[in-house]
Amino acid sequence: MTEENIKKSWRNLLIPICIGIIIFLVALYFNRFGSKRPTPQTISLFGCVLGLIFIIFPGIRMIKFKTFLKQHNKH
């Protein structure tokens, strides 16, 4: 694997995590300071769940890629 491919792979993993963090923080902000009626609270809940999904799944892939690179460098 070339250095350029490794950089592209890290970038492809970091972009969804950054988007997930932004979505999660905005949803928490709307939950805290937004309307307390049920509909905005439900939308905020779905936003938090979506943000966590965008953080967790690429995070798992990032950990797997990191272990792959460690094993690849040993050989």
Side-chain angles (χ1 to χ4, degrees), residues 10 13 57-71:
W10 278 116
L13 290 171
F57 287 120
I60 292 170
R61 288 177 53 207
M62 193 179 252
I63 292 169
K64 287 181 181 179
F65 185 65
K66 189 175 179 181
T67 56
F68 167 77
L69 287 178
K70 284 183 182 179
Q71 290 178 355

mmCIF file of all heavy atoms in Angstrom, residues 10 13 57-71:
data_model
loop_
_atom_site.group_PDB
_atom_site.id
_atom_site.type_symbol
_atom_site.label_atom_id
_atom_site.label_comp_id
_atom_site.label_asym_id
_atom_site.label_seq_id
_atom_site.Cartn_x
_atom_site.Cartn_y
_atom_site.Cartn_z
ATOM 1 N N TRP A 10 -7.225 7.318 5.253
ATOM 2 C CA TRP A 10 -7.443 8.045 6.501
ATOM 3 C C TRP A 10 -8.414 9.195 6.295
ATOM 4 O O TRP A 10 -9.266 9.463 7.134
ATOM 5 C CB TRP A 10 -6.129 8.578 7.072
ATOM 6 C CG TRP A 10 -5.366 7.552 7.834
ATOM 7 C CD1 TRP A 10 -4.153 7.050 7.507
ATOM 8 C CD2 TRP A 10 -5.755 6.901 9.046
ATOM 9 N NE1 TRP A 10 -3.761 6.121 8.436
ATOM 10 C CE2 TRP A 10 -4.723 6.013 9.397
ATOM 11 C CE3 TRP A 10 -6.867 6.977 9.870
ATOM 12 C CZ2 TRP A 10 -4.781 5.215 10.527
ATOM 13 C CZ3 TRP A 10 -6.925 6.178 10.997
ATOM 14 C CH2 TRP A 10 -5.894 5.312 11.321
ATOM 15 N N LEU A 13 -11.903 8.029 6.135
ATOM 16 C CA LEU A 13 -12.416 7.629 7.438
ATOM 17 C C LEU A 13 -12.663 8.832 8.349
ATOM 18 O O LEU A 13 -13.581 8.811 9.166
ATOM 19 C CB LEU A 13 -11.439 6.664 8.114
ATOM 20 C CG LEU A 13 -11.337 5.282 7.484
ATOM 21 C CD1 LEU A 13 -10.185 4.505 8.093
ATOM 22 C CD2 LEU A 13 -12.633 4.520 7.638
ATOM 23 N N PHE A 57 -19.345 3.687 13.528
ATOM 24 C CA PHE A 57 -18.984 2.755 12.464
ATOM 25 C C PHE A 57 -17.682 3.134 11.756
ATOM 26 O O PHE A 57 -16.819 2.267 11.552
ATOM 27 C CB PHE A 57 -20.131 2.583 11.468
ATOM 28 C CG PHE A 57 -21.268 1.765 12.036
ATOM 29 C CD1 PHE A 57 -22.528 2.310 12.155
ATOM 30 C CD2 PHE A 57 -21.071 0.476 12.460
ATOM 31 C CE1 PHE A 57 -23.572 1.575 12.686
ATOM 32 C CE2 PHE A 57 -22.110 -0.279 12.986
ATOM 33 C CZ PHE A 57 -23.362 0.278 13.100
ATOM 34 N N PRO A 58 -17.468 4.393 11.382
ATOM 35 C CA PRO A 58 -16.142 4.722 10.830
ATOM 36 C C PRO A 58 -15.032 4.584 11.878
ATOM 37 O O PRO A 58 -13.888 4.286 11.532
ATOM 38 C CB PRO A 58 -16.269 6.172 10.370
ATOM 39 C CG PRO A 58 -17.712 6.377 10.147
ATOM 40 C CD PRO A 58 -18.394 5.518 11.163
ATOM 41 N N GLY A 59 -15.360 4.779 13.154
ATOM 42 C CA GLY A 59 -14.365 4.586 14.204
ATOM 43 C C GLY A 59 -13.902 3.145 14.278
ATOM 44 O O GLY A 59 -12.706 2.867 14.446
ATOM 45 N N ILE A 60 -14.847 2.221 14.151
ATOM 46 C CA ILE A 60 -14.493 0.800 14.137
ATOM 47 C C ILE A 60 -13.635 0.477 12.917
ATOM 48 O O ILE A 60 -12.625 -0.234 13.022
ATOM 49 C CB ILE A 60 -15.765 -0.072 14.167
ATOM 50 C CG1 ILE A 60 -16.460 0.071 15.520
ATOM 51 C CG2 ILE A 60 -15.432 -1.542 13.883
ATOM 52 C CD1 ILE A 60 -17.838 -0.557 15.569
ATOM 53 N N ARG A 61 -14.017 1.017 11.773
ATOM 54 C CA ARG A 61 -13.225 0.804 10.560
ATOM 55 C C ARG A 61 -11.833 1.417 10.701
ATOM 56 O O ARG A 61 -10.853 0.868 10.196
ATOM 57 C CB ARG A 61 -13.935 1.392 9.347
ATOM 58 C CG ARG A 61 -15.143 0.580 8.940
ATOM 59 C CD ARG A 61 -15.904 1.167 7.780
ATOM 60 N NE ARG A 61 -15.050 1.438 6.643
ATOM 61 C CZ ARG A 61 -15.308 2.372 5.749
ATOM 62 N NH1 ARG A 61 -16.386 3.134 5.851
ATOM 63 N NH2 ARG A 61 -14.499 2.572 4.734
ATOM 64 N N MET A 62 -11.749 2.553 11.396
ATOM 65 C CA MET A 62 -10.466 3.204 11.611
ATOM 66 C C MET A 62 -9.550 2.339 12.483
ATOM 67 O O MET A 62 -8.356 2.206 12.196
ATOM 68 C CB MET A 62 -10.706 4.565 12.270
ATOM 69 C CG MET A 62 -9.546 5.472 12.293
ATOM 70 S SD MET A 62 -10.043 7.016 13.073
ATOM 71 C CE MET A 62 -10.063 8.054 11.643
ATOM 72 N N ILE A 63 -10.115 1.728 13.513
ATOM 73 C CA ILE A 63 -9.327 0.853 14.385
ATOM 74 C C ILE A 63 -8.847 -0.372 13.611
ATOM 75 O O ILE A 63 -7.688 -0.781 13.727
ATOM 76 C CB ILE A 63 -10.154 0.443 15.626
ATOM 77 C CG1 ILE A 63 -10.387 1.658 16.520
ATOM 78 C CG2 ILE A 63 -9.475 -0.681 16.397
ATOM 79 C CD1 ILE A 63 -11.393 1.435 17.628
ATOM 80 N N LYS A 64 -9.728 -0.954 12.792
ATOM 81 C CA LYS A 64 -9.336 -2.110 11.980
ATOM 82 C C LYS A 64 -8.241 -1.745 10.982
ATOM 83 O O LYS A 64 -7.306 -2.506 10.759
ATOM 84 C CB LYS A 64 -10.545 -2.675 11.243
ATOM 85 C CG LYS A 64 -11.501 -3.404 12.128
ATOM 86 C CD LYS A 64 -12.665 -3.951 11.333
ATOM 87 C CE LYS A 64 -13.654 -4.676 12.213
ATOM 88 N NZ LYS A 64 -14.795 -5.196 11.444
ATOM 89 N N PHE A 65 -8.345 -0.551 10.383
ATOM 90 C CA PHE A 65 -7.340 -0.106 9.420
ATOM 91 C C PHE A 65 -5.998 0.128 10.112
ATOM 92 O O PHE A 65 -4.949 -0.190 9.571
ATOM 93 C CB PHE A 65 -7.815 1.164 8.712
ATOM 94 C CG PHE A 65 -6.897 1.630 7.622
ATOM 95 C CD1 PHE A 65 -6.695 0.866 6.493
ATOM 96 C CD2 PHE A 65 -6.238 2.847 7.726
ATOM 97 C CE1 PHE A 65 -5.855 1.288 5.489
ATOM 98 C CE2 PHE A 65 -5.397 3.281 6.733
ATOM 99 C CZ PHE A 65 -5.198 2.499 5.608
ATOM 100 N N LYS A 66 -6.044 0.663 11.324
ATOM 101 C CA LYS A 66 -4.812 0.903 12.076
ATOM 102 C C LYS A 66 -4.118 -0.409 12.406
ATOM 103 O O LYS A 66 -2.899 -0.524 12.265
ATOM 104 C CB LYS A 66 -5.140 1.671 13.354
ATOM 105 C CG LYS A 66 -3.956 2.161 14.103
ATOM 106 C CD LYS A 66 -4.397 3.006 15.282
ATOM 107 C CE LYS A 66 -3.219 3.502 16.077
ATOM 108 N NZ LYS A 66 -3.627 4.307 17.222
ATOM 109 N N THR A 67 -4.885 -1.423 12.818
ATOM 110 C CA THR A 67 -4.281 -2.728 13.104
ATOM 111 C C THR A 67 -3.765 -3.375 11.813
ATOM 112 O O THR A 67 -2.720 -4.040 11.833
ATOM 113 C CB THR A 67 -5.268 -3.670 13.798
ATOM 114 O OG1 THR A 67 -6.442 -3.803 13.007
ATOM 115 C CG2 THR A 67 -5.634 -3.152 15.176
ATOM 116 N N PHE A 68 -4.454 -3.164 10.692
ATOM 117 C CA PHE A 68 -3.987 -3.679 9.421
ATOM 118 C C PHE A 68 -2.634 -3.062 9.055
ATOM 119 O O PHE A 68 -1.724 -3.751 8.593
ATOM 120 C CB PHE A 68 -5.011 -3.397 8.307
ATOM 121 C CG PHE A 68 -4.484 -3.624 6.928
ATOM 122 C CD1 PHE A 68 -4.347 -4.904 6.435
ATOM 123 C CD2 PHE A 68 -4.135 -2.550 6.123
ATOM 124 C CE1 PHE A 68 -3.845 -5.111 5.155
ATOM 125 C CE2 PHE A 68 -3.652 -2.751 4.851
ATOM 126 C CZ PHE A 68 -3.502 -4.037 4.359
ATOM 127 N N LEU A 69 -2.511 -1.744 9.260
ATOM 128 C CA LEU A 69 -1.249 -1.085 8.947
ATOM 129 C C LEU A 69 -0.119 -1.572 9.843
ATOM 130 O O LEU A 69 1.015 -1.753 9.386
ATOM 131 C CB LEU A 69 -1.392 0.428 9.085
ATOM 132 C CG LEU A 69 -2.199 1.123 7.991
ATOM 133 C CD1 LEU A 69 -2.306 2.605 8.283
ATOM 134 C CD2 LEU A 69 -1.571 0.894 6.627
ATOM 135 N N LYS A 70 -0.421 -1.820 11.128
ATOM 136 C CA LYS A 70 0.613 -2.340 12.024
ATOM 137 C C LYS A 70 1.075 -3.716 11.595
ATOM 138 O O LYS A 70 2.268 -4.009 11.591
ATOM 139 C CB LYS A 70 0.085 -2.394 13.457
ATOM 140 C CG LYS A 70 0.034 -1.060 14.142
ATOM 141 C CD LYS A 70 -0.439 -1.223 15.579
ATOM 142 C CE LYS A 70 -0.532 0.123 16.263
ATOM 143 N NZ LYS A 70 -1.010 -0.014 17.644
ATOM 144 N N GLN A 71 0.132 -4.579 11.210
ATOM 145 C CA GLN A 71 0.487 -5.929 10.768
ATOM 146 C C GLN A 71 1.209 -5.880 9.420
ATOM 147 O O GLN A 71 2.118 -6.668 9.176
ATOM 148 C CB GLN A 71 -0.732 -6.807 10.680
ATOM 149 C CG GLN A 71 -1.326 -7.149 12.019
ATOM 150 C CD GLN A 71 -2.589 -7.986 11.902
ATOM 151 O OE1 GLN A 71 -3.071 -8.225 10.795
ATOM 152 N NE2 GLN A 71 -3.112 -8.419 13.030
#
